């Protein structure tokens, strides 16, 4: 289930055009954060779980980053990280 509610502070679907290096945060519980790729991370339209693209990371120093914000203060309460990933190649 894809639940976006007042508790959701980050929601990255990685929608966009192939090769893009920015991702828009579509959460409804926090501020609108723009995420920028580092390394050679990018959006890829070849393999998609939902939406128009997916984040592509080759495993060598790739990441998406955004400036620090109070939305990211976890505090002492419960919290959850939820994500989908598709791994290819040898481990």
């Amino acid at each position: 289930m894809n639940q976006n509610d007042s508790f959701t502070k980050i929601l990255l679907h990685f929608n966009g055009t192939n090769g893009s290096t920015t991702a828009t945060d579509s959460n409804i519980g926090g501020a609108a954060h723009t995420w920028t790729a580092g390394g050679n991370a990018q959006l890829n339209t070849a393999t998609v779980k939902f939406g128009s693209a997916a984040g592509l990371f080759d495993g060598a120093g790739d990441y998406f980053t955004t400036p620090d914000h109070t939305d990211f203060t976890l505090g002492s309460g419960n919290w959850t990280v939820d994500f989908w990933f598709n791994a290819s190649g040898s481990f």
Side-chain angles (χ1 to χ4, degrees):
M1 176 168 53
N2 180 14
Q3 184 145 350
N4 188 5
D5 58 26
S6 64
F7 297 105
T8 304
K9 304 302 179 188
I10 302 169
L11 183 59
L12 299 176
H13 287 133
F14 293 109
N15 287 332
T17 58
N18 196 50
S20 177
T21 57
T22 60
T24 302
D25 193 338
S26 57
N27 77 75
I28 61 172
H33 307 285
T34 297
W35 294 74
T36 305
N40 56 350
Q42 59 185 286
L43 301 187
N44 182 288
T45 58
T47 304
V48 178
K49 173 66 178 166
F50 44 74
S52 63
L56 177 64
F57 306 87
D58 67 8
D62 298 339
Y63 58 92
F64 274 82
T65 187
T66 193
D68 192 19
H69 191 275
T70 56
D71 282 348
F72 311 139
T73 302
L74 300 178
S76 61
N78 295 333
W79 53 275
T80 301
V81 175
D82 186 14
F83 62 95
W84 287 89
F85 74 96
N86 178 4
S88 62
S90 303
F91 292 96

